Amino acid sequence: MMEVQWGVPVTLRQPQDGAIERFSTIEKARYWLRRKWPVADGARQVALARVETAMACLGPVEDARRAFCLAALSAGFVPALEG
């Protein structure tokens, strides 16, 4: 299966340990939302639905990316600068 790039990577600092995680594909975002997400809230559910819709080519990848970023903020992730 080919990975779908979703533009400029989203780089986040994890709330638990401060580790930096870089999300450059929609597949990695989906994996994290399903398996590694620190909270199970409504923002996560919306993001997961939008990511899966985009992966099925039934919605825009940008909508999935936006929902993922909102879910990240809701879960306590902090945008991180790469460098």
Side-chain angles (χ1 to χ4, degrees), residues 5-22:
Q5 303 294 317
W6 68 352
V8 176
V10 175
T11 306
L12 301 171
R13 184 174 307 278
Q14 295 180 43
Q16 303 90 339
D17 59 10
I20 303 288
E21 196 62 44
R22 187 172 191 250

Side-chain angles (χ1 to χ4, degrees), residues 24-66:
S24 58
T25 67
I26 198 167
E27 290 81 6
K28 183 172 181 176
R30 180 177 181 257
Y31 173 79
W32 268 71
L33 287 165
R34 292 185 72 199
R35 305 284 184 205
K36 299 182 96 175
W37 214 244
V39 296
D41 63 2
R44 176 190 165 268
Q45 288 303 113
V46 169
L48 185 56
R50 296 246 170 97
V51 163
E52 290 180 343
T53 297
M55 289 178 75
C57 299
L58 298 172
V61 172
E62 185 56 38
D63 286 354
R65 179 187 170 97
R66 190 175 305 111

